[in-house]
Amino acid sequence: MLIGVPAETVPGETRVAVTPETAKKLVAQGHTVRVQSGAGITAAITDAALQAAGAEITDAAGAFACELVLKVRSPSDGEAALMKPGTAVVGMLNPFDAEGLQRLAAAGLTSFALEAAPRTTRAQSMDVLSSQANIAGYKAVMIAADKYQRFFPMLMTAAGTVKAARVVILGVGVAGLQAIATAKRLGAVIEASDVRPSVKEQVESLGAKFIDVPYETQEEKEAAEGVGGYARPMPQSWMDRQKVEVAKRVAAADIVVTTALIPGRAAPVLVTEEMVQAMKPGSVIVDMAAPQGGNCPLTEAGRTVIKHGVTLVGETNLPALVAADASSLYARNVLDFLKLVLPKEGGFKIDLEDDIVAACRMTQDGQVTKK
Ligand code: NAD
C-alpha cells in the first residue's frame, strides 16, 4: 500500500500522523511511506530521521497522491482536491462536523475518524481522544503554573511559609484525571467535580477530594450514568445544587481547570461571571472546553485574557503544545487502527462486522456513512 503523510496546515497544528517508529513498522509490513518534507519538524521529527526509518520524502502533492493518507486534522477543500476519489483517509476528522464530512464525501474519499472509535478495551490502543486528552490535561496544569504568580507546593523557608495552591478541577474524564495527577505532583491541594458517580473513587485514589453532589431523583442518577461512559446533560435541579458547591470551592481556589464536555453539544457552563468576580486576584482559570464554547462564559477561545483580575486561558489545541509526545502517541493510535484495515495478505479491507471500523467509517463512495 502506498501511504502518504502530508504536513498539517491548520494554523497552530504542530502534530504529525507518523513518527520514525511507526514509519519503520509500516515499511517492515511491506508498505511504502511517503512523508511531505518538513511535516514532522514542529514535532521534533526531521526528514532525515524519517528517511532512516525507511520513509520517502516528497512534496505535498506527492504525500496526497497515495492510496491511503494519514492526517491529524480533517483535510481542507484544497487538500481534498489533491486526493483521487477512492483514496482512504485516516485522522481526527471531527465526526460532529457535518459540513466537513459532506466535503470528504463530495471528494469521493473513504474516510475514518478515529475519535468515533468505541471506548472499549479492544479499542483502547487506538483511542485518540484518550491519548490526546491525557496530554491536554497535563499541559493545562503546566500553563496554569506558568501564569500563576505563586508557588504550587507548600514551602517552609527561612523567609517564611508559603501556602500550597488550591486547585479545583471541573470534569474528571481522561484530561481531568491527568490534570489532578499533575497538580498533585506539583504539591497542590485539589478538589474535583464530575457528574458521573464512578469518578469519586478515581479522584480519591489520586489524593484529591471529590465535591459530592448527591443525586436526589432517579432522573438525575440515570443522566449521570450516561451512555457508553459519556455524560449526558444533567437535569437543572442537579446543576443548581452543583453550582452552589462549585461556587464555594471556586471562590477559595487559586487555579481552576475546567474540562467538562458532553459529546456533540456545547460545553456546560460551570463557572459563571459571578463566580469569577468572587475569585482572588491573580487566580487562573484554564478552560479546556474553550473549543466547545467554554465552561466559563468569560473564556475567549484561542486567547488568554484577564477579567476581574483573573487570568482566563482559552487555548484550543493543548496537545499541539506538546507536539512531540502528542504525535508519538497519536501515530501509535493510527498504526493500531491500520491493523484493522490493512490485512497481511495486502489491499485495504473495510470489515463492517468490526465494530471499530464500522464506527470510525465516516464517508465512502460519495456518501456520508457515519453511524
Ligand atoms: P469527555 O472529555 O467527554 O468529558 C470530560 C468530563 O466532563 C467527563 O468526565 C464528563 O462526565 C464531565 N462532565 C460533563 N458534564 C459535566 C458537568 N456538568 N459537571 C462536571 N463534569 C461534567 O470525557 P472523556 O475523558 O472522553 O471520558 C469519557 C468516558 O469514557 C469516561 O467514563 C472515561 O472513563 C471513559 N473512557 C473509557 C475508555 C475505555 O474503556 N477504553 C477509555 C477512555 C475513556
Side-chain angles (χ1 to χ4, degrees), residues 229-281:
Y230 285 111
R232 281 190 295 181
M234 287 300 282
Q236 197 55 45
S237 51
W238 188 89
M239 291 293 285
D240 290 343
R241 298 201 306 282
Q242 183 202 34
K243 190 174 162 188
V244 173
E245 293 306 316
V246 165
K248 282 189 240 166
R249 270 59 172 216
V250 167
D254 300 299
I255 309 288
V256 177
V257 177
T258 70
T259 83
L261 292 177
I262 297 158
R265 290 178 182 255
V269 170
L270 300 182
V271 181
T272 60
E273 177 156 16
E274 261 183 333
M275 290 189 208
V276 176
Q277 270 168 332
M279 288 179 82
K280 290 175 275 183

Side-chain angles (χ1 to χ4, degrees), residues 74-337:
S74 193
S76 65
D77 272 336
E79 290 171 334
L82 292 173
M83 289 181 269
K84 278 199 280 232
T87 302
V89 183
V90 173
M92 289 191 281
L93 308 179
N94 192 357
F96 295 110
D97 173 13
E99 246 176 61
L101 296 185
Q102 205 54 58
R103 189 174 66 226
L104 300 178
L109 303 171
T110 305
S111 64
F112 298 87
L114 296 184
E115 309 99 301
R119 303 309 272 277
T120 55
T121 307
R122 192 170 77 94
Q124 243 169 5
S125 62
M126 53 200 91
D127 184 345
V128 294
L129 291 179
S130 291
S131 74
Q132 304 303 297
N134 197 7
I135 290 179
Y138 159 83
K139 190 66 181 179
V141 172
M142 291 291 110
I143 292 178
D146 181 46
K147 300 285 176 209
Y148 184 51
Q149 294 303 312
R150 297 174 193 274
F151 276 113
F152 260 48
M154 194 266 277
L155 285 183
M156 282 193 269
T157 79
T161 300
V162 174
K163 275 204 264 176
R166 298 190 74 87
V167 175
V168 172
I169 313 276
L170 301 176
V172 191
V174 178
L177 282 174
Q178 184 55 256
I180 295 176
T182 305
K184 186 78 191 165
R185 281 181 208 120
L186 291 176
V189 173
I190 307 151
E191 289 187 273
S193 167
D194 199 290
V195 300
R196 292 180 295 117
S198 56
V199 166
K200 182 174 192 241
E201 217 180 279
Q202 297 168 7
V203 167
E204 289 173 351
S205 73
L206 286 170
K209 206 169 150 202
F210 189 64
I211 304 172
D212 228 339
V213 183
Y215 312 115
E216 289 181 356
T217 63
Q218 191 59 22
E219 187 202 0
E220 288 179 6
K221 193 164 179 288
E222 278 169 19
E225 276 158 3
V227 240
Y230 285 111
R232 281 190 295 181
M234 287 300 282
Q236 197 55 45
S237 51
W238 188 89
M239 291 293 285
D240 290 343
R241 298 201 306 282
Q242 183 202 34
K243 190 174 162 188
V244 173
E245 293 306 316
V246 165
K248 282 189 240 166
R249 270 59 172 216
V250 167
D254 300 299
I255 309 288
V256 177
V257 177
T258 70
T259 83
L261 292 177
I262 297 158
R265 290 178 182 255
V269 170
L270 300 182
V271 181
T272 60
E273 177 156 16
E274 261 183 333
M275 290 189 208
V276 176
Q277 270 168 332
M279 288 179 82
K280 290 175 275 183
S283 304
V284 179
I285 299 176
V286 180
D287 191 342
M288 293 182 61
Q292 281 79 28
N295 292 137
C296 175
L298 300 189
T299 304
E300 293 186 22
R303 299 187 59 203
T304 296
V305 292
I306 299 179
K307 292 185 183 170
H308 306 300
V310 175
T311 302
L312 287 122
V313 180
E315 182 56 56
T316 51
N317 191 352
L318 288 162
L321 302 178
V322 191
D325 276 337
S327 300
S328 141
L329 298 182
Y330 177 70
R332 283 190 206 144
N333 292 147
V334 170
L335 186 71
D336 268 312
F337 175 77

